[in-house]
Amino acid sequence: MTAPAATRPDGLAAYAAVTAAYWAFMLSDGALRMLVLLHFNALGFTPIQLAWLFLLYEVAGIVTNMSAGWIAARFGLTSTLYAGLGLQILALAALAQLDPGWTVGASVAFVMAVQGASGVAKDLAKMSSKSAVKVLAPEGDGTLFRWVAVLTGSKNAVKGAGFFLGAALLALAGFQASVWAMAGVLAVILAAVALFMPAGLPKGKKGTKLRQIFSGDRRINLLSGARLFLFGARDVWFVVGIPVYFQSVLSDGTPAGARAAFFVIGGFMAAWIICYGAVQAAAPRIVRAQGRPAGEITRIAARWVALLTVIPLALAGAALLAGGPSTWLTVTLIAGLLAFGFVFAINSSVHSYLILAFTSAERVTMDVGFYYMANAAGRLTGTLLSGVSYQLGGLPLCLATAGVMAGASWLVVRRVEPRVALAA
């Protein structure tokens, strides 16, 4: 009995170190997204061109998650965490080389490539951190749900702060100086994490086969499909549609007006993500998860995503009725998207718990990698549809598309049979 007690502090310390590293990464990830989006929108890029800037980021996430689970199972979780942080530093340093004199085509291709590297980095860090929860969380009633909710919620709060940081840096320091500053800070954090990382994370197994990344568990496959549509529903409006709409409303076309719009847009996006993260962290209490079996929580997921479907469809109707930018529409959108964020956060947190509840400690990195591969596919779909739907049909079509994606998530998640989930 003494050995486990002796190793638990190391496990907790490893969890804390991984969480701190993940926070640092997500701060830079949120800041980078706003820097790229607002900088190139100010240069006159169309919604579809803006969407293209992020497409390779999401494609890289699909490929990375497909292999990252196997890499972590083969070489250990710390290796994938360090690789993610290191690659993000290189991506930021590369982005600082962007030349304003390049053509639009060359700029888009270059930023797509850099964003692709950043996408690889993000999913290496995410998979490592989420898998660590399953390995390190103490056993107990509801403990796993609470730990994963706190990690996920706090991560998104930090990413929200990154959204505001990116917009503020762009307004105050400019694009290139901001990117170099983030690269330098992240390099210091990587060195500190590598120096002080305690024992406690799995080291990897040499016999792990690449083909094992595909799950044979129907629950995991269906949950992954529901996740794809869930995150597609968010990114359809989040990536291009709403930021571009807000900038058209808030900016008067002057440099000073553009800077003011950067602060307001960054502030709203940051507030949305921070509130979303807070709700994620509180989700176990909101849905009263303690003592409930996984099957019952699965039914909860279906009910919440059904509610989510209604919100963007109602907002699409409001946007269609308004016929264009207006004060009442902007106020309605802010209130509606905050409501969307609350319901979406519950769904996301419940999903993050269920994937860990359904998997085993032996397969956790591969199943989590497969699950987040579907997550990245949803973000890719949402990113593409964000630019296309906004350019073809404006804000009404953009929001209606989000509602359709949320409805598809409901159709999939309700097929996860509660009686099967009870075995988890």
Side-chain angles (χ1 to χ4, degrees), residues 145 148-149 227 280 283-284 344-354:
F145 197 171
V148 71
R227 186 78 172 190
Q280 278 186 309
F344 179 82
I346 299 295
N347 278 280
S348 178
S349 189
V350 170
H351 282 199
S352 295
Y353 159 71
L354 287 174

Side-chain angles (χ1 to χ4, degrees), residues 233-234 237 242 246 268 272 307-316 318-319 327-345 399 402:
R234 185 200 66 176
W237 64 263
I242 288 298
F246 280 162
F268 172 77
W272 192 93
L307 176 60
L308 185 73
T309 304
V310 176
I311 298 173
L313 292 178
L315 292 177
T327 301
W328 76 264
L329 176 60
T330 301
V331 172
T332 301
L333 287 171
I334 291 172
L337 293 175
L338 289 174
F340 182 99
F342 180 88
V343 180
F344 179 82
L399 291 166

Side-chain angles (χ1 to χ4, degrees), residues 212-408:
Q212 292 177 266
I213 61 174
F214 296 102
S215 176
D217 191 324
R218 185 173 183 270
R219 299 166 303 170
I220 290 173
N221 294 333
L222 286 172
L223 186 64
S224 299
R227 186 78 172 190
L228 185 156
F229 291 113
L230 180 69
F231 270 77
R234 185 200 66 176
D235 281 13
V236 163
W237 64 263
F238 190 83
V239 174
V240 173
I242 288 298
V244 170
Y245 169 82
F246 280 162
Q247 191 157 7
S248 70
V249 171
L250 298 170
S251 178
D252 59 7
T254 66
R259 284 194 297 272
F262 291 162
F263 274 106
V264 175
I265 295 168
F268 172 77
M269 303 297 276
W272 192 93
I273 291 287
I274 291 170
C275 292
Y276 160 58
V279 174
Q280 278 186 309
R285 295 193 302 276
I286 294 172
V287 303
R288 299 176 183 177
Q290 186 168 1
R292 291 188 172 187
E296 193 170 344
I297 294 176
T298 303
R299 288 192 291 268
I300 290 172
R303 289 197 295 269
W304 280 92
V305 79
L307 176 60
L308 185 73
T309 304
V310 176
I311 298 173
L313 292 178
L315 292 177
L320 192 62
L321 181 64
S326 65
T327 301
W328 76 264
L329 176 60
T330 301
V331 172
T332 301
L333 287 171
I334 291 172
L337 293 175
L338 289 174
F340 182 99
F342 180 88
V343 180
F344 179 82
I346 299 295
N347 278 280
S348 178
S349 189
V350 170
H351 282 199
S352 295
Y353 159 71
L354 287 174
I355 186 61
L356 295 180
F358 291 163
T359 191
S360 63
E362 292 74 23
R363 279 195 55 86
V364 61
T365 60
M366 289 177 285
D367 285 341
V368 168
F370 180 79
Y371 170 76
Y372 281 111
M373 177 183 69
N375 188 100
R379 291 173 61 96
L380 170 64
T381 304
T383 297
L384 179 59
L385 290 176
S386 185
V388 171
S389 64
Y390 192 88
Q391 187 148 330
L392 293 180
L395 195 59
L397 181 59
C398 188
L399 291 166
T401 305
V404 172
M405 295 285 281

